Amino acid sequence: MSERAANAHPALRSHFEDMNQQHATGTLGMWFFLVTEILFFAPLFFTYALFRSGSLDPSFHAGFIAASHHQNIKLGLTNTIVLIASSLTVALGVYFAQTNKRKALVVMLVLTLLCGAAFLVIKGIEYNEHFVHHLFPGQNFHWDGAPELARGAHMFYILYFCMTGLHAFHMIIGIGIFLYILRRATRNDFSSEYYVPVEVSGLYWHFVDIVWIFLFPMLYLIDPASKH
Amino acid sequence: MSNEAYDKDDFPHHVTSLGTYFFIFAALMVLTIITVAVAYQDFGAWNVPIAFGIATLKATVVVLFFMHVIHSPKITAAILVGSIVFVGILFLLTFSDYLTRLWPMS
């Protein structure tokens, strides 16, 4: 049987020595998961670099620029700001968990969820614009620009929907995780001694934010000045 | 029993100050505005490296302060940097394949 001290924290699992070791193990495990997430997104970044450079088909270089001119930079910028703000509220949530301020933690988690929902709504508005303009890849893709750029533009929108779709999928998962964290926070599960679920959920949220930090210039800001 | 993966006296109870969090947020906002501003300038072939460089700087700031790597055990940074190095190797090898073939495209 374990030699568990009578005064051990109730959240301490039997296979850990103490709360610090449990915290260190939990965060390290999350980092290992995030490393696999980097590999999960990497092929899309590779494909983007390969096609945008025009190495395989020189027309793709101009095709990507022309296609990106159909992007709504204002909505993309708004989403970038919303997502970075949500990363701030997540970071503040960890701070309030560490300092035993339960109400402030709950407020931060709610704000995070609202930011996440706002991001998805704005993304939906953008997707709708693309659908209406027949920019969704496939049979009904219609390019009304220069015909020689159609293939590159089509490839841009294939990558756009794959990358933002995978990212939005992560956002939806993240909202689910934070609903769970919010429920536990309202039950007063977290304290300065035990906040590792808030910490690791935050790591996931920040990772998804970082992916968007890269996607924003790649998908919205390809030579916007050349738009006529 | 000691465990060298973490320092019991120091980890995990480092609390980053509210001021630091708000400063990092402000820095990320400024860098976002710079990202948009430089995209409208013509730096020729340098536009892509500049945009990627700013994004990398933003990501580094998020990793160090929001994700607390600066106050985490060194193994956290080692895992992260190691994974990025391996992604770089995969990119390098895959590019060296794709870019040295004669593709019957166009």
Side-chain angles (χ1 to χ4, degrees):
Chain A
M1 283 301 291
S2 77
E3 299 159 29
R4 190 188 172 92
N7 60 351
H9 193 284
L12 179 65
R13 308 286 182 191
S14 60
H15 46 286
F16 291 114
E17 253 181 70
D18 56 39
M19 293 304 282
N20 282 3
Q21 191 203 15
Q22 178 169 306
H23 187 104
T25 310
T27 48
L28 191 60
M30 193 62 193
W31 274 104
F32 271 114
F33 171 69
L34 293 182
V35 162
T36 69
E37 288 276 88
I38 292 174
L39 290 168
F40 191 27
F41 277 94
L44 287 168
F45 284 84
F46 177 86
T47 314
Y48 174 93
L50 188 67
F51 283 114
R52 180 175 162 186
S53 66
S55 312
L56 300 192
D57 183 332
S59 80
F60 276 26
H61 182 75
F64 268 47
I65 293 172
S68 74
H69 287 163
H70 288 268
Q71 294 286 84
N72 189 327
I73 294 176
K74 279 178 189 160
L75 289 182
L77 178 62
T78 308
N79 257 352
T80 306
I81 293 168
V82 165
L83 216 48
I84 293 175
S86 77
S87 261
L88 174 69
T89 58
V90 165
L92 294 180
V94 171
Y95 172 86
F96 290 127
Q98 286 174 322
T99 50
N100 291 315
K101 298 201 173 69
R102 188 180 69 89
K103 275 187 184 164
L105 167 62
V106 169
V107 169
M108 286 307 142
L109 294 174
V110 170
L111 286 176
T112 304
L113 286 164
L114 288 176
C115 284
F119 178 93
L120 288 174
V121 168
I122 293 169
K123 199 79 229 139
I125 292 168
E126 288 185 70
Y127 277 3
N128 183 56
E129 279 183 20
H130 299 319
F131 280 115
V132 169
H133 294 113
H134 293 279
L135 291 170
F136 185 75
Q139 289 288 311
N140 292 320
F141 182 84
H142 178 71
W143 179 248
D144 52 11
E148 68 272 19
L149 301 181
R151 290 181 67 226
H154 200 167
M155 182 53 79
F156 175 87
Y157 274 99
I158 289 171
L159 284 167
Y160 168 81
F161 276 98
C162 285
M163 293 173 117
T164 59
L166 189 62
H167 178 266
F169 177 68
H170 278 78
M171 291 290 297
I172 293 165
I173 303 271
I175 287 173
I177 291 169
F178 271 87
L179 282 171
Y180 167 73
I181 297 296
L182 175 63
R183 181 162 155 265
R184 289 191 64 181
T186 55
R187 288 193 317 213
N188 209 8
D189 274 6
F190 304 125
S191 66
S192 59
E193 284 195 304
Y194 176 66
Y195 61 94
V196 68
V198 185
E199 172 82 23
V200 298
S201 309
L203 290 177
Y204 175 85
W205 193 272
H206 294 309
F207 169 80
V208 177
D209 182 27
I210 287 172
V211 172
W212 184 260
I213 284 173
F214 282 99
L215 291 185
F216 175 53
M218 287 166 64
L219 299 174
Y220 292 81
L221 299 172
I222 314 176
D223 200 4
S226 66
K227 187 178 179 179
H228 45 77
Chain B
M1 199 179 104
S2 72
N3 188 326
E4 289 170 9
Y6 67 98
D7 182 345
K8 283 186 181 184
D9 298 328
D10 183 47
F11 186 79
H13 296 296
H14 180 89
V15 180
T16 306
S17 73
L18 287 179
T20 304
Y21 283 137
F22 281 106
F23 177 79
I24 295 304
F25 174 71
L28 289 169
M29 284 293 124
V30 170
L31 287 169
T32 301
I33 292 162
I34 293 173
T35 303
V36 177
V38 297
Y40 282 92
Q41 306 302 315
D42 185 9
F43 296 109
W46 286 97
N47 272 85
V48 174
I50 288 170
F52 195 77
I54 296 171
T56 306
L57 180 62
K58 287 167 77 178
T60 308
V61 165
V62 171
V63 163
L64 287 180
F65 295 98
F66 280 0
M67 299 172 91
H68 309 128
V69 167
I70 200 162
H71 297 295
S72 297
K74 285 192 180 70
I75 190 167
T76 309
I79 288 165
L80 177 62
V81 173
S83 82
I84 293 166
V85 168
F86 271 92
V87 166
I89 292 170
L90 290 171
F91 269 51
L92 198 69
L93 292 176
T94 320
F95 267 123
S96 65
D97 179 10
Y98 271 92
L99 302 184
T100 51
R101 292 178 187 217
L102 289 174
W103 291 82
M105 283 186 76
S106 77

